[in-house]
Amino acid sequence: MADNGRQCLRANLFLSFLLASFLGRYLPGCLAQLACVGEEGDDDAGGNRTAVYIVHVRKPERMIHAGPEELAAWHRSFLPSLDSGEPRLVFSYSKSMSGFAARLTPEEVEAMAGKEGFLSALPDEKLYPQTTYTPDFLRLRPDVWRAANRGEGVIIGVIDSGINPEHVSFAGSKGVRRWPPRKWRGYCEFYRHRTCGRKLLGARNYDAGAKAEQPLPYDIEGHGTHVAATAAGGEIRGANVYGYANGTASGAAPGAHLAVYKAATVAEVLAAINQAIEDGVDVLCIPLASQEADLPIFLDVVAIGTLAAVRKGILVVAAAGNYGPLAGTLRNGAPWIMTVGASTTDRALRASLRLSNGVELPGEALHRNDSSQLLDELPLTYPTAKRGQLPAEACSHLRAAKVTGKVVLCHTGANMTTAEKAKIVMAAGGVAMVVMNSEKRGQTIAEVPDLDIPTIVLDYNTSLRLREYVAKSPRLKATVIPAGTTFGNRPAPTVASFSSRGPSAANGGILKPDILAPGVNILAASHAAQSGFSIASGTSVAAAHIAGIAAILNKTNPSWNPSMIRSAIMTTSRLGDMTGVGPITDEKGTAASLFATGAGHVDPWGAADPGLAYSVEFGDYVRYLCGLGYSDVQVSVTAGFPVQCAAVGKLDAEQLNYPSIAVKLNSSATAPKAVGRTLTSVRCSIGTYKASVELPAGVAAKVSPRRLLFLRKGQRRRFAVTFSIANSTLVEAGDVIEGRLRWSSDVNVVTSPLLVTIA
Ligand SMILES: *[C@@H]1O[C@H](CO)[C@@H](O)[C@H](O)[C@H]1NC(C)=O
Ligand SMILES: *[C@@H]1O[C@H](CO)[C@@H](O)[C@H](O)[C@H]1NC(C)=O
Ligand SMILES: *[C@@H]1O[C@H](CO)[C@@H](O)[C@H](O)[C@H]1NC(C)=O
Ligand SMILES: *[C@@H]1O[C@H](CO)[C@@H](O)[C@H](O)[C@H]1NC(C)=O
Ligand SMILES: *[C@@H]1O[C@H](CO)[C@@H](O)[C@H](O)[C@H]1NC(C)=O
Ligand SMILES: *[C@@H]1O[C@H](CO)[C@@H](O)[C@H](O)[C@H]1NC(C)=O
Ligand SMILES: *[C@@H]1O[C@H](CO)[C@@H](O)[C@H](O)[C@H]1NC(C)=O
Ligand SMILES: *[C@@H]1O[C@H](CO)[C@@H](O)[C@H](O)[C@H]1NC(C)=O
C-alpha cells in the first residue's frame, strides 16, 4: 500500500509538472507534495530544503549536436542564478537521457517548470542491490557454472557498489590475453594502483554518499565485487575448501573485460549508464532495483536510461528483484531490458540435525572446519513467547534462562537476518541455532551464513516436522552434523522464494521475468580480502550469470543485436527439472507459473545455436511506448528525443516482436485475437520449421503459416498466431492460461511461452 501511495504521488508530480509547464500555471497542492517527497534534502542557510531532482528537458534544434560541455552549460541555464553555496548541477546527461540531475528546492523546481524546454522533474531515489545475503567465508568452492567460451574482447559494464580491484579474480590482467578493443574509451580511477588491467578496464565512482569516506570506487558492501566476479571473474585453479571440492572457480565469461561503475541512486545510475555508453561497453548489468513495483515506464528513470543504452546497441541485463514470492512484485520489466529471476542449483551445503529420538533432518549449513563448530548432543529449546508473537519465535528477543547452553529454534522473518538473530542467541547464552524457514520461503534455503555458532537452516516442510517432534517430546536433544558440499540434489533448478514475480502492470502485459539463472548460494569473489570468497543469493547474482552468457553470445555471434541475444537465451531455455521429469517447481514445491520462470531456465549450450531469433528494432520500442497510451510528452521523455505518436504509429504490447507471447482474451466476446511475429534465421543452412502449440483445452491457437522455410542467414519470415476461446465452459474471466509455441526443424527447436489472460 505504501508503495502505491508513493507511486501515485510520483505520477501526480509528473502530471502536475507537465500541466504546469504546458499551461504555465501554478497548481495548488503541488508544493506540499514536493515538500514531502524531497525528504533527503539538506537545510541551507535560508532554511530551504534542497534535494536531487532528475529533470527531463527537450533539446532545441541547436543542441542536437552539442558536445557535453555545451550541453552542460545549457542545462545550467535551467538552474537558479542565486547560488545557495553548494553546486547545483549534479550530473549533466548527454547519452542516457535528455536532461540533468540537480540539487533544488521545491520552489525552484516549480519555477523551472515555466522555462522553455522543461518536460518533467522527478525526485531522486535510492536503488537497492538485489543481493540478499553476503556473509563472507574465506574459502573457495568450484562454481558449477562454467560456460563454453571465455567471452574474450567483450566488455561487461556492472553498475553496483564498486569493486575490490585487488582480488585475484580481477587483479592484473587475470586470464585476459588481449588488450581491449579500440572502442573502449573508459577510465580507471584506481590510478595510483596497478590494479586495473586487461581484466578490469575501468572503474568509476558516482556514489556521492560513499565518496565522502572513500573517493575511489572500492566496494565496501560486497555486492558489486560478487556480481562482477560472477559475470566475468577470471579462472582460479586449484580452488578448494578445507580439502573438500577442489577445482576451478570462474565467472560465466572469464575472458571478458569489466568496466565497473559505483552508483546508489537513480541519478547516479543514470550518470553511470551515460558513462557506460560513452565508454563503449557491450553488455550492461544492473543488479539494482527500485523499492517500488510497477512504476509506469515514463516515470522509471532507470528504464529511460537503459533505453538509451539499447539504442546504442548495448544489451541491458537487470535483476527482476528480490521481492517475491507474491505476484506483481517484479522490477525492471521494460521490454528492452533482459529481466532475470533467480533459481536454485543442484548444489547444497549439506548438514543434518540429528535428534535424540533417532530422526535425522536434512538442512544446510556452513561449517567451519574447527572444534568451535563441533557439537555434542544438547537440549533443544523453542522459545515461543506468548501465542501469536512472531518476534519471539524469530529470536529477536530471548531470555537467557530459557536458552543458555541449548540449541535454539528460530524462524526466518521478522525483518532480521540470520546473522542478527545469531548475535541475540549468542548473547543469551545459546550454543547453536536452528533456523526454520517460514512458509513464504518454503523449500528455498537462500541464507546460509558463516556464523560464530553452529547454525543449520531447514526448509519449511522439515521445519514443520521438527516442530511436531518438539511438541511431542519437549526434552528432545539435538546435534548438527556437517556433510559438506553435495551436488546432484533434487529438485533443481527451482525458483527461489525471493525471486520477484510478474505480472508487470507497467509494461502493457509483456511476460516478465524473461529468464531464470542461478542465484542461490553462489560463490564468488569477496570485497573483503585479496583471495577471499563469499557466498550470496539474489536476482543480482542471477543477472550477473546472464550478463556473462550474453557476453559469450556476443563474442560468438557479433552480428546479433541485443534483442537477438535475448531471444537466443529465451527460446532455448530449459523448461523442466534436471531429472527430465516434471516442470520447474517453486518454493512451494508445485509447478512454477510463467510469472515466476519466464521462458524457463537458461541453457547456454542451447543459446549458442538457437536457429531463429525474434529481433526487435529500436523504433518498435518507441511505437510500443505510443501503444501503451502515453502522451507525446511522456514518450519523448522516455525515448530521450521528440516523438509524435501520430507520426510514428502505435504498436500494441501484444504485437511487439518479443520471444514470449502474452495476450488478453475476452471471455464473452467470440472474436479471435491474432498476434504477429517475425523470425530471423541465424543459421547458414537451409531450414524448414514446423509450428506446434501446446495449450489446455479451453483456448485454441492457430499458427499461420504452419511451416516456415528459411534459405539463408538473415532471412525473415512473418507468421501469426490466432487465439480463440475453444470451449467457454472451460474458461472464465480472471483465468491465466499457460502454453508453449514451438518452431521445430531437424536441428533446432525455438520455443516461446504463451500466456493467455481471460478478461
Ligand atoms: C527560500 O525560500 C524563500 C521563499 O520561498 C525565498 O524567498 C528565498 O529566496 C529562498 N532562499 C534560498 C536561499 O533559496
Ligand atoms: C587441487 O587440484 C590440483 C590439480 O588437480 C592439484 O594440483 C592440487 O594439489 C589440489 N589441491 C588440493 C588441496 O587437493
Ligand atoms: C577438515 O576437517 C576434516 C574432518 O575433521 C579433516 O579430515 C580435514 O583434514 C580438515 N581439513 C582441513 C583443511 O583442515
Ligand atoms: C525492516 O528493517 C529495515 C531496516 O532495519 C527498516 O527500514 C524497515 O522499515 C523494516 N521493515 C519492516 C516491515 O519492519
Ligand atoms: C556485439 O559485438 C559486435 C561486434 O563486436 C558489436 O558491434 C555489437 O554491438 C555487440 N553488442 C551486442 C549487445 O550485440
Ligand atoms: C510439503 O509438504 C506438503 C504436504 O505434505 C506437500 O504437499 C508439499 O509438496 C511439500 N513441499 C515440498 C517443497 O516438498
Ligand atoms: C467483452 O466483450 C463484451 C461483448 O463484446 C463486451 O461487452 C465487454 O465489455 C468486453 N469485456 C472486456 C473486459 O473487454
Ligand atoms: C466443453 O467442455 C465441457 C466440459 O469438459 C464438455 O462437456 C463439452 O462437451 C465441451 N464442449 C465442446 C464444444 O467441446
Side-chain angles (χ1 to χ4, degrees), residues 335 507-510 620-629 649-658 662-664 673-677 718:
N507 73 10
I510 289 170
D620 296 340
Y621 291 130
V622 176
R623 294 192 300 128
Y624 153 87
L625 290 169
C626 291
L628 288 179
K650 296 182 180 185
L651 184 67
D652 205 83
E654 293 174 347
Q655 307 290 348
L656 186 69
N657 200 37
Y658 215 73
V663 296
K664 280 201 181 63
K673 178 177 267 176
V675 299
R677 289 286 187 276
R718 197 157 171 80

Short mmCIF file of all heavy atoms in Angstrom, two decimals, residues 335 507-510 620-629 649-658 662-664 673-677 718:
data_model
loop_
_atom_site.label_atom_id
_atom_site.label_comp_id
_atom_site.label_asym_id
_atom_site.label_seq_id
_atom_site.Cartn_x
_atom_site.Cartn_y
_atom_site.Cartn_z
N PRO A 335 10.43 -3.72 -21.77
CA PRO A 335 10.73 -4.78 -22.74
C PRO A 335 12.10 -4.68 -23.39
O PRO A 335 12.50 -5.61 -24.08
CB PRO A 335 9.62 -4.63 -23.78
CG PRO A 335 9.11 -3.25 -23.63
CD PRO A 335 9.31 -2.88 -22.19
N ASN A 507 4.09 -2.68 -18.02
CA ASN A 507 4.65 -2.86 -19.37
C ASN A 507 3.62 -3.29 -20.41
O ASN A 507 4.00 -3.70 -21.50
CB ASN A 507 5.86 -3.80 -19.33
CG ASN A 507 5.49 -5.26 -19.12
OD1 ASN A 507 4.30 -5.62 -19.17
ND2 ASN A 507 6.46 -6.11 -18.90
N GLY A 508 2.34 -3.22 -20.08
CA GLY A 508 1.31 -3.50 -21.06
C GLY A 508 1.04 -4.98 -21.25
O GLY A 508 0.38 -5.38 -22.21
N GLY A 509 1.54 -5.82 -20.35
CA GLY A 509 1.20 -7.24 -20.38
C GLY A 509 2.29 -8.15 -20.88
O GLY A 509 2.10 -9.36 -20.94
N ILE A 510 3.46 -7.62 -21.23
CA ILE A 510 4.56 -8.47 -21.69
C ILE A 510 5.02 -9.35 -20.53
O ILE A 510 5.18 -8.87 -19.40
CB ILE A 510 5.70 -7.60 -22.24
CG1 ILE A 510 5.23 -6.99 -23.57
CG2 ILE A 510 6.98 -8.39 -22.42
CD1 ILE A 510 6.12 -5.94 -24.13
N ASP A 620 10.61 -0.01 -32.86
CA ASP A 620 9.47 -0.78 -32.32
C ASP A 620 9.21 -0.39 -30.86
O ASP A 620 8.06 -0.34 -30.42
CB ASP A 620 9.77 -2.28 -32.37
CG ASP A 620 9.93 -2.80 -33.79
OD1 ASP A 620 9.46 -2.12 -34.72
OD2 ASP A 620 10.51 -3.89 -33.95
N TYR A 621 10.30 -0.15 -30.11
CA TYR A 621 10.11 0.21 -28.71
C TYR A 621 9.40 1.56 -28.59
O TYR A 621 8.58 1.77 -27.71
CB TYR A 621 11.47 0.27 -27.99
CG TYR A 621 12.15 -1.07 -27.81
CD1 TYR A 621 13.47 -1.26 -28.17
CD2 TYR A 621 11.46 -2.15 -27.25
CE1 TYR A 621 14.10 -2.48 -28.00
CE2 TYR A 621 12.08 -3.38 -27.07
CZ TYR A 621 13.40 -3.55 -27.45
OH TYR A 621 14.03 -4.76 -27.28
N VAL A 622 9.75 2.48 -29.49
CA VAL A 622 9.12 3.80 -29.45
C VAL A 622 7.62 3.67 -29.78
O VAL A 622 6.76 4.22 -29.09
CB VAL A 622 9.82 4.78 -30.41
CG1 VAL A 622 9.10 6.12 -30.45
CG2 VAL A 622 11.28 4.95 -30.01
N ARG A 623 7.33 2.87 -30.82
CA ARG A 623 5.92 2.70 -31.18
C ARG A 623 5.17 1.94 -30.09
O ARG A 623 3.99 2.18 -29.84
CB ARG A 623 5.81 1.96 -32.53
CG ARG A 623 6.38 2.84 -33.67
CD ARG A 623 6.05 2.29 -35.04
NE ARG A 623 6.58 0.95 -35.24
CZ ARG A 623 5.86 -0.08 -35.66
NH1 ARG A 623 4.58 0.07 -35.95
NH2 ARG A 623 6.42 -1.26 -35.80
N TYR A 624 5.88 1.04 -29.41
CA TYR A 624 5.29 0.33 -28.27
C TYR A 624 4.92 1.32 -27.16
O TYR A 624 3.85 1.21 -26.55
CB TYR A 624 6.30 -0.73 -27.78
CG TYR A 624 6.20 -1.11 -26.33
CD1 TYR A 624 5.33 -2.11 -25.89
CD2 TYR A 624 6.98 -0.47 -25.36
CE1 TYR A 624 5.25 -2.46 -24.56
CE2 TYR A 624 6.91 -0.80 -24.04
CZ TYR A 624 6.05 -1.80 -23.62
OH TYR A 624 5.97 -2.13 -22.30
N LEU A 625 5.80 2.31 -26.90
CA LEU A 625 5.50 3.31 -25.87
C LEU A 625 4.25 4.08 -26.24
O LEU A 625 3.39 4.37 -25.41
CB LEU A 625 6.69 4.26 -25.69
CG LEU A 625 7.93 3.65 -25.04
CD1 LEU A 625 9.12 4.59 -25.15
CD2 LEU A 625 7.67 3.30 -23.57
N CYS A 626 4.12 4.40 -27.54
CA CYS A 626 2.90 5.07 -28.01
C CYS A 626 1.70 4.15 -27.80
O CYS A 626 0.63 4.59 -27.38
CB CYS A 626 3.03 5.45 -29.48
SG CYS A 626 4.24 6.75 -29.80
N GLY A 627 1.90 2.86 -28.06
CA GLY A 627 0.83 1.88 -27.92
C GLY A 627 0.36 1.71 -26.48
O GLY A 627 -0.75 1.25 -26.22
N LEU A 628 1.24 2.07 -25.51
CA LEU A 628 0.82 1.99 -24.11
C LEU A 628 -0.16 3.10 -23.76
O LEU A 628 -0.69 3.14 -22.66
CB LEU A 628 2.04 2.12 -23.19
CG LEU A 628 3.02 0.94 -23.12
CD1 LEU A 628 4.16 1.27 -22.17
CD2 LEU A 628 2.31 -0.33 -22.66
N GLY A 629 -0.38 4.02 -24.70
CA GLY A 629 -1.32 5.11 -24.46
C GLY A 629 -0.65 6.32 -23.85
O GLY A 629 -1.32 7.22 -23.36
N GLY A 649 3.32 6.10 -35.28
CA GLY A 649 2.38 4.99 -35.18
C GLY A 649 2.46 4.30 -33.84
O GLY A 649 3.40 4.51 -33.07
N LYS A 650 1.44 3.50 -33.57
CA LYS A 650 1.36 2.81 -32.28
C LYS A 650 1.49 1.32 -32.48
O LYS A 650 0.99 0.77 -33.46
CB LYS A 650 0.01 3.10 -31.61
CG LYS A 650 -0.17 4.54 -31.26
CD LYS A 650 -1.49 4.77 -30.55
CE LYS A 650 -1.62 6.25 -30.22
NZ LYS A 650 -2.81 6.54 -29.44
N LEU A 651 2.18 0.69 -31.53
CA LEU A 651 2.30 -0.77 -31.58
C LEU A 651 1.76 -1.32 -30.28
O LEU A 651 2.22 -0.95 -29.19
CB LEU A 651 3.78 -1.15 -31.75
CG LEU A 651 4.09 -2.63 -31.93
CD1 LEU A 651 3.52 -3.14 -33.24
CD2 LEU A 651 5.60 -2.86 -31.89
N ASP A 652 0.78 -2.20 -30.39
CA ASP A 652 0.22 -2.82 -29.20
C ASP A 652 1.28 -3.70 -28.54
O ASP A 652 2.05 -4.37 -29.24
CB ASP A 652 -0.97 -3.67 -29.63
CG ASP A 652 -1.94 -3.84 -28.50
OD1 ASP A 652 -2.76 -2.94 -28.29
OD2 ASP A 652 -1.84 -4.89 -27.82
N ALA A 653 1.31 -3.70 -27.20
CA ALA A 653 2.32 -4.51 -26.48
C ALA A 653 2.28 -5.96 -26.94
O ALA A 653 3.33 -6.61 -27.05
CB ALA A 653 2.09 -4.42 -24.98
N GLU A 654 1.08 -6.47 -27.23
CA GLU A 654 0.96 -7.87 -27.67
C GLU A 654 1.67 -8.12 -28.99
O GLU A 654 2.06 -9.25 -29.29
CB GLU A 654 -0.53 -8.24 -27.82
CG GLU A 654 -1.27 -8.25 -26.49
CD GLU A 654 -2.78 -8.47 -26.66
OE1 GLU A 654 -3.28 -8.37 -27.80
OE2 GLU A 654 -3.44 -8.73 -25.63
N GLN A 655 1.81 -7.05 -29.79
CA GLN A 655 2.36 -7.21 -31.14
C GLN A 655 3.86 -6.94 -31.21
O GLN A 655 4.46 -7.08 -32.28
CB GLN A 655 1.64 -6.28 -32.13
CG GLN A 655 0.12 -6.40 -32.12
CD GLN A 655 -0.38 -7.71 -32.71
OE1 GLN A 655 0.38 -8.45 -33.33
NE2 GLN A 655 -1.66 -8.02 -32.50
N LEU A 656 4.47 -6.54 -30.09
CA LEU A 656 5.91 -6.31 -30.09
C LEU A 656 6.59 -7.64 -30.41
O LEU A 656 6.17 -8.69 -29.91
CB LEU A 656 6.35 -5.78 -28.72
CG LEU A 656 7.82 -5.37 -28.61
CD1 LEU A 656 8.09 -4.11 -29.44
CD2 LEU A 656 8.18 -5.10 -27.15
N ASN A 657 7.64 -7.63 -31.21
CA ASN A 657 8.24 -8.88 -31.68
C ASN A 657 9.08 -9.55 -30.58
O ASN A 657 10.28 -9.74 -30.71
CB ASN A 657 9.10 -8.61 -32.92
CG ASN A 657 9.34 -9.88 -33.72
OD1 ASN A 657 8.43 -10.73 -33.82
ND2 ASN A 657 10.53 -10.04 -34.26
N TYR A 658 8.38 -9.90 -29.51
CA TYR A 658 9.03 -10.44 -28.32
C TYR A 658 9.11 -11.96 -28.40
O TYR A 658 8.23 -12.58 -29.00
CB TYR A 658 8.20 -10.02 -27.08
CG TYR A 658 9.07 -9.73 -25.89
CD1 TYR A 658 9.83 -8.57 -25.83
CD2 TYR A 658 9.14 -10.62 -24.82
CE1 TYR A 658 10.65 -8.32 -24.75
CE2 TYR A 658 9.95 -10.37 -23.74
CZ TYR A 658 10.71 -9.21 -23.71
OH TYR A 658 11.52 -8.97 -22.64
N ALA A 662 2.08 -12.92 -25.00
CA ALA A 662 1.06 -12.78 -23.97
C ALA A 662 -0.11 -12.01 -24.55
O ALA A 662 0.09 -10.94 -25.14
CB ALA A 662 1.64 -12.03 -22.77
N VAL A 663 -1.30 -12.57 -24.44
CA VAL A 663 -2.48 -11.89 -24.98
C VAL A 663 -3.62 -11.89 -23.96
O VAL A 663 -3.66 -12.74 -23.07
CB VAL A 663 -3.01 -12.54 -26.29
CG1 VAL A 663 -2.00 -12.44 -27.40
CG2 VAL A 663 -3.41 -13.99 -26.04
N LYS A 664 -4.49 -10.91 -24.13
CA LYS A 664 -5.73 -10.89 -23.34
C LYS A 664 -6.86 -11.33 -24.25
O LYS A 664 -6.97 -10.87 -25.39
CB LYS A 664 -6.01 -9.48 -22.83
CG LYS A 664 -5.21 -9.09 -21.63
CD LYS A 664 -5.88 -7.94 -20.89
CE LYS A 664 -5.07 -7.52 -19.69
NZ LYS A 664 -3.72 -7.01 -20.06
N LYS A 673 -8.30 -13.40 -31.48
CA LYS A 673 -7.29 -12.35 -31.50
C LYS A 673 -6.02 -12.88 -32.16
O LYS A 673 -5.53 -13.94 -31.80
CB LYS A 673 -6.99 -11.89 -30.09
CG LYS A 673 -5.90 -10.83 -30.05
CD LYS A 673 -5.65 -10.31 -28.68
CE LYS A 673 -6.46 -9.07 -28.40
NZ LYS A 673 -6.29 -8.60 -27.03
N ALA A 674 -5.51 -12.09 -33.12
CA ALA A 674 -4.30 -12.52 -33.84
C ALA A 674 -3.12 -11.65 -33.44
O ALA A 674 -3.25 -10.43 -33.32
CB ALA A 674 -4.52 -12.43 -35.34
N VAL A 675 -1.99 -12.29 -33.16
CA VAL A 675 -0.76 -11.53 -32.94
C VAL A 675 0.26 -11.96 -33.97
O VAL A 675 0.31 -13.12 -34.39
CB VAL A 675 -0.18 -11.73 -31.52
CG1 VAL A 675 -1.15 -11.27 -30.46
CG2 VAL A 675 0.23 -13.16 -31.28
N GLY A 676 1.07 -11.00 -34.40
CA GLY A 676 2.08 -11.28 -35.42
C GLY A 676 3.48 -11.32 -34.82
O GLY A 676 3.76 -10.68 -33.81
N ARG A 677 4.33 -12.10 -35.44
CA ARG A 677 5.74 -12.16 -35.04
C ARG A 677 6.58 -12.36 -36.29
O ARG A 677 6.09 -12.89 -37.30
CB ARG A 677 6.00 -13.35 -34.10
CG ARG A 677 5.43 -13.22 -32.68
CD ARG A 677 6.23 -12.22 -31.85
NE ARG A 677 5.82 -12.18 -30.45
CZ ARG A 677 4.81 -11.46 -29.98
NH1 ARG A 677 4.05 -10.75 -30.79
NH2 ARG A 677 4.53 -11.44 -28.69
N ARG A 718 7.44 -13.93 -41.55
CA ARG A 718 6.42 -13.47 -40.63
C ARG A 718 5.35 -14.55 -40.44
O ARG A 718 5.06 -15.31 -41.36
CB ARG A 718 5.78 -12.20 -41.18
CG ARG A 718 5.03 -11.43 -40.11
CD ARG A 718 4.86 -9.97 -40.41
NE ARG A 718 3.94 -9.41 -39.41
CZ ARG A 718 4.31 -9.08 -38.19
NH1 ARG A 718 5.55 -9.20 -37.80
NH2 ARG A 718 3.41 -8.60 -37.33
#
